[in-house]
Amino acid sequence: MEVLAEISRENPTLYGAIVVAVIVVEGMLLALLMELVFKILGIEVKEVPHH
Amino acid sequence: MYLPLAGVEISGWLLLAIGFCVGVLAGFFGIGGGFIVTPALNIFGFPMAYAIGTDLAQIMGNSIVATFKHRKLGNVDLRLGFLMIVGTALGVEAGKEVVLYLEEIGAVGSVVRVIYIFLLGGTGAYMLFDYWKFKREEESGREKRVVTERVGSRLSEMVHRINLPPKVALPTSKIKSISIWAILLVGFVTGFLAGFLGVGGGFIRMPAMIYALGVPTTIAIGTDLFEIIFSSAIGAFLYATEGRVEIVAAAVMVCGSAVGAQIGALGTRYVRGMKIRFYFALTILLAAVSVVMKQLAVSFSIPVLATYAGYLILGVAGLMTLNITLSTVKGIVEERAVYPEVKRRMRILLASGGSEHAVRAIRLGARIAKGYNAEVTLLVVRDPAEEIQVAEVQHRAGRVLKELGVRAELTVREGNPAKEILKEGRKYDLLVIGSHGTKSVAERLLGDNATRIVENMSTSTLVVKRNAKVTRILACVNLPRYRRAVVRRAIELAKILEVPLEFLYVLPEPLMYPIRRLHLSSEEIMELYPEKRAAAEEILALAREAGVEAEFRCREGIPEEEILLEKRKIGADLVVLGDSGWRGVMGELIGSLSAHIVKHSRVSVLVVHRKAP
């Protein structure tokens, strides 16, 4: 955490890019993980028609 | 954990809990949830700028997870989303300029807060009024009873009529044609308000898409979340470059919100569109109350009011999260209890042209849907060649559905009925159509609409003929690859309709019969073919297990003829059989057993497709 605080002070643009990259990757990985968990739990999610 | 940038000590579990709450709300309402997380973090010690920055990063991660889920549910209209992004970006910039101008003249704080209160309160009040009006119409027994969501509004109708090229079709949102300028304008206005108020704008965009563009609620939610990914990413980047984002806190919250977003998004399957709007209206109305409290705290110097405002919003978020989570869990549990083998609710399409036979079909379809606890959609196809009053059809169908206590969504299409039903029916597990039987010579030769649909449909189809009353079912188990599905479906139907069931196997007559037909009895056929007896015992055991009165009979001869003969003999008024599966040229040459039965039977026929759940 201290390292990240250091980066944010010394190179704010790099810190901004790190924040966005980390959260995007985390979000995508978590989305895939959740998909897997729900599949294991047997809660199937399929496209539903809309009206 | 200690967060060095904000200089705050905070429990990781607390961050996870906040993330979970906002995830549920985001997945369910299609909002970023900034108006919840920012005050929450602020209450737990984050300085305001850090609370906003960290919240934006959390919103980005949360929106990615929720958008993935909504995309899977078919709730994201990418075309609409990208167009809205363009309008929103321009609007945010314009909103920011106005804020800077107001800042110069020293009026920014109070103006922004007052507009915020009016916007939250006004949107919430309007949506609440809309819900109340809908409920009143529903209770008063008018034809709108048949729908569970009213798509579009007078405003959206006006917007759709804007004839300013270029125009674009949004099939996902069921919008045939809309001017790009209208989408850009709605994007611009919502973006302007978001930029002006300094918020993500999900709570403005979601209702704007519903009321101004006529987008269905669940698609408005999914598309809004898609857009929030981009707006929050820009916000998070800008705040991070100022060192105002606690990345670890945001990452922990995203973990909680990832779980929450799944539950929220799944909740949109179990809670109907109008109910979602009601919960949303309630949430933003209470958020407006909390902003009023904050304003009073500033105006009359009562700091404790600001704290209470924070607790109010946290309380609302907590209760709403609990409500949505319970509704989702209840939905899943009910679904499993009613139909344990299926992992999701069955979807039934009742297609209607408004005639007598169509209403009969709706009656039988609704009885079956009730038994399955299925999601029901009423499809009304308006044939330009015929005069069909959609309201009249809705009214008649609504009366039948109400009588049986079944709720249905409404879809209206225009065009050739058979083509439209084929197009729409593929998305469902069961299609129910009415048939007047073959009247003209051409229909006798080529088959009516129902025959054409059965021949080309890849979904199980129930063709309801003259009598919708079922007293006995005949299930034909000839086609081996459909046997399991036919047996299962027939037993389920017999159970739902509380009628006896007979299974029939027809020993096919060879084309080049070496000897004349043997005229064997059912018992003799089973003696000759022990595997048929074993199959019969297995099938009857399944029926017994389900508490259905059933028998098994064999006949010899041409299946098409024997099925119709047996049906007449036992007085069955519903025939269940598998789809023979031949399509195209082979179908034309060999013909389809199911199409033959549909064409020649005077009673209802259910053609089971192998893919049936």
Side-chain angles (χ1 to χ4, degrees), chain A residues 12 15 26 35 42 48 50-51, chain B residues 75 241 245 251 269 336 411 428:
Chain A
Y15 183 67
E26 187 194 8
E35 192 84 359
V48 289
H50 294 284
H51 321 286
Chain B
N75 291 347
T241 52
V245 176
R269 281 183 61 94
R336 297 268 170 110
T411 299
Y428 291 79

Side-chain angles (χ1 to χ4, degrees), chain B residues 311-381:
Chain B
Y311 286 127
L312 172 69
I313 203 75
L314 282 188
V316 172
L319 283 176
M320 215 39 101
T321 304
L322 195 68
N323 182 22
I324 296 163
T325 310
L326 288 178
S327 299
T328 310
V329 171
K330 196 175 146 218
I332 295 170
V333 169
E334 273 178 4
E335 186 175 290
R336 297 268 170 110
V338 175
Y339 203 39
E341 291 161 56
V342 179
K343 305 280 197 304
R344 61 180 169 81
R345 271 175 95 182
M346 192 178 178
R347 294 191 295 266
I348 297 182
L349 180 71
L350 308 178
S352 172
S355 57
E356 261 321 306
H357 58 267
V359 174
R360 276 198 300 272
I362 287 168
R363 184 175 291 278
L364 182 56
R367 272 185 76 191
I368 294 168
K370 197 176 177 187
Y372 280 117
N373 186 29
E375 283 174 19
V376 184
T377 299
L378 175 67
L379 170 71
V380 181
V381 184

Side-chain angles (χ1 to χ4, degrees), chain B residues 244-558:
Chain B
R244 297 292 184 271
V245 176
E246 270 297 358
I247 186 171
V248 178
V252 173
M253 280 196 288
V254 171
C255 289
S257 64
V259 181
Q262 307 294 313
I263 293 169
L266 260 183
T268 60
R269 281 183 61 94
Y270 301 106
V271 183
R272 297 290 184 166
M274 287 309 281
K275 200 88 182 177
I276 298 175
R277 293 190 204 177
F278 169 68
Y279 290 150
F280 183 72
L282 216 59
T283 308
I284 60 170
L285 264 181
L286 288 166
V289 173
S290 120
V291 181
V292 170
M293 284 166 76
K294 269 188 201 161
Q295 179 61 29
L296 291 176
V298 176
S299 305
F300 300 101
S301 309
I302 319 169
V304 73
L305 261 185
T307 317
Y308 287 148
Y311 286 127
L312 172 69
I313 203 75
L314 282 188
V316 172
L319 283 176
M320 215 39 101
T321 304
L322 195 68
N323 182 22
I324 296 163
T325 310
L326 288 178
S327 299
T328 310
V329 171
K330 196 175 146 218
I332 295 170
V333 169
E334 273 178 4
E335 186 175 290
R336 297 268 170 110
V338 175
Y339 203 39
E341 291 161 56
V342 179
K343 305 280 197 304
R344 61 180 169 81
R345 271 175 95 182
M346 192 178 178
R347 294 191 295 266
I348 297 182
L349 180 71
L350 308 178
S352 172
S355 57
E356 261 321 306
H357 58 267
V359 174
R360 276 198 300 272
I362 287 168
R363 184 175 291 278
L364 182 56
R367 272 185 76 191
I368 294 168
K370 197 176 177 187
Y372 280 117
N373 186 29
E375 283 174 19
V376 184
T377 299
L378 175 67
L379 170 71
V380 181
V381 184
R382 203 172 6 200
D383 189 345
E386 286 176 35
E387 280 294 310
I388 292 175
Q389 295 296 323
V390 175
E392 174 60 22
V393 177
Q394 242 182 290
H395 180 63
R396 296 183 70 184
R399 257 201 335 236
V400 174
L401 291 170
K402 188 211 161 195
E403 210 177 284
L404 295 165
V406 174
R407 309 195 74 173
E409 305 254 355
L410 174 73
T411 299
V412 181
R413 291 272 180 280
E414 199 164 307
N416 178 297
K419 272 188 191 164
E420 292 302 319
I421 292 171
L422 274 170
K423 212 190 293 172
E424 192 68 17
R426 291 199 173 96
K427 300 174 195 164
Y428 291 79
D429 301 312
L430 176 64
L431 164 71
V432 181
I433 48 173
S435 166
H436 54 64
T438 47
K439 280 180 179 168
S440 63
V441 178
E443 280 179 347
R444 275 180 204 285
L445 290 171
L446 304 168
D448 62 343
N449 270 348
T451 318
R452 278 196 286 275
I453 289 167
V454 165
E455 278 175 327
N456 296 293
M457 181 51 83
S458 54
T459 294
S460 296
T461 306
L462 171 62
V463 181
V464 180
K465 297 275 179 106
R466 285 176 193 171
N467 190 5
K469 201 170 168 223
V470 178
T471 54
R472 198 176 184 88
I473 299 174
L474 175 69
C476 174
V477 290
N478 257 54
L479 297 164
R481 63 184 180 138
Y482 290 103
R483 191 170 297 150
R484 235 182 113 235
V486 167
V487 168
R488 214 180 82 187
R489 190 63 89 218
I491 291 174
E492 285 162 3
L493 286 180
K495 200 174 173 182
I496 290 170
L497 301 169
E498 296 170 337
V499 292
L501 168 66
E502 183 185 304
F503 292 100
L504 174 72
Y505 173 78
V506 183
L507 186 65
E509 188 179 67
L511 287 173
M512 302 292 285
Y513 225 116
I515 47 172
R516 292 220 166 257
R517 192 180 284 190
L518 294 167
H519 296 288
L520 296 169
S521 69
S522 179
E523 198 49 41
E524 283 166 336
I525 293 172
M526 283 204 247
E527 287 293 323
L528 273 171
Y529 299 93
E531 73 275 11
K532 300 290 168 228
R533 186 180 292 281
E537 278 167 8
E538 199 183 313
I539 290 170
L540 291 176
L542 284 172
R544 261 197 311 276
E545 209 176 285
V548 169
E549 185 193 322
E551 48 187 303
F552 192 101
R553 206 179 297 272
C554 291
R555 289 180 79 111
E556 57 161 339
I558 300 164

